[in-house]
Amino acid sequence: MKDCTLYKTMDIIGKRWTLCILLELHKGNGKKHFNELKYMLHSITPKTLSTRLKELQDHGLIKRDVESDSTPVRCNYSLTESGEEFIEIISHIKKWGLKWKFENEICSESDCQKCGIRQISDPQCSTQ
Amino acid sequence: MKDCTLYKTMDIIGKRWTLCILLELHKGNGKKHFNELKYMLHSITPKTLSTRLKELQDHGLIKRDVESDSTPVRCNYSLTESGEEFIEIISHIKKWGLKWKFENEICSESDCQKCGIRQISDPQCSTQ
DNA sequence: CAGGATCCAAAAGGATACTG
DNA sequence: CAGTATCCTTTTGGATCCTG
């Protein structure tokens, strides 16, 4: 049971802050620095952020680019292709949550400003 | 951030064993007893199983029916409509996991006998 | 700026025994 | 049979300080 694709996947994306980080990277223009992420996810500690970023890199959902010509060092984090595709799953979860009343006044909006995920409006798999 | 539909939903379904339980209920004919589940998820403890079942009931994904004419008491657990629909999300997660190589030899099969989820074969949202 | 190191608190979950 | 109670281990993540 534990070596099933599903559970492997859930082990990666089921952890606290992971979805927040993916969404934060999805919302922006595509690149964010460490402290920028720390600021957006205002109650995350650097240790936890660092851990999550490393996990997501290891599993190929995000990538880390160092600006070579900057002092001090700056690192750009962005979603990879698999990371972007994962956002679709998050959309489905949101759609399900909205349908079955796991909602609040903000996420009931079709385009939630907080989580940056646009609600899927048709029954097909929109690529939003 | 924390009161978003997404995070509420993830709080419910992101916990260890939860997906296993939903899948176990999905695989069967629709009804399973407590000890039956405990046996299928062989390393789960009754405490954890009890906790998860209660959570899932509270959130409406499963229902619990007591067989009134039995001694000792027997309880049937089964998926509700929202629970069944959630299985579709699990299918999407599996599809994503397979595409991006979070796989093993078993779950690579289009119909995984272990997790009971048939891989979605077309790009649309199959209701499997 | 981007983290690593250390210490600590809280929570989740397992083992085992017991009960209506 | 279907859990509950108790105890305990492991995991997780937060706080804080430090560094290349």
Side-chain angles (χ1 to χ4, degrees), chain B residues 2-128:
Chain B
K2 292 305 181 51
D3 53 1
C4 170
T5 296
L6 271 173
Y7 302 109
K8 283 184 181 173
T9 306
M10 287 301 292
D11 272 351
I12 301 162
I13 53 91
K15 294 186 179 177
R16 205 181 317 182
W17 290 114
T18 299
L19 287 188
C20 304
I21 293 167
L22 291 175
L23 286 174
E24 208 49 55
L25 292 174
H26 175 72
K27 279 200 283 185
N29 51 8
K31 287 185 188 303
K32 289 231 169 64
H33 305 134
F34 190 88
N35 281 339
E36 213 169 342
L37 286 169
K38 191 153 74 69
Y39 176 76
M40 298 305 293
L41 312 167
H42 55 281
S43 65
I44 197 172
T45 62
K47 175 191 168 188
T48 306
L49 179 56
S50 177
T51 304
R52 290 290 169 277
L53 289 173
K54 214 161 293 174
E55 289 166 359
L56 287 170
Q57 284 172 71
D58 288 346
H59 293 102
L61 281 88
I62 70 174
K63 59 179 187 290
R64 176 180 182 270
D65 299 306
V66 181
E67 292 180 15
S68 55
D69 55 348
S70 66
T71 308
V73 178
R74 298 198 126 228
C75 295
N76 286 312
Y77 291 94
S78 55
L79 294 178
T80 61
E81 195 183 347
S82 72
E84 281 294 350
E85 285 197 17
F86 191 80
I87 301 293
E88 293 182 39
I89 293 175
I90 299 179
S91 295
H92 283 287
I93 295 172
K94 176 168 178 181
K95 185 185 168 194
W96 180 89
L98 286 171
K99 176 168 180 182
W100 298 101
K101 310 299 180 198
F102 296 103
E103 65 185 37
N104 63 5
E105 69 290 345
I106 293 167
C107 268
S108 303
E109 303 299 323
S110 70
D111 191 352
C112 171
Q113 293 305 314
K114 274 191 173 177
C115 69
I117 290 289
R118 184 163 305 156
Q119 187 183 356
I120 299 170
S121 53
D122 68 309
Q124 303 305 321
C125 291
S126 156
T127 50
Q128 60 161 355

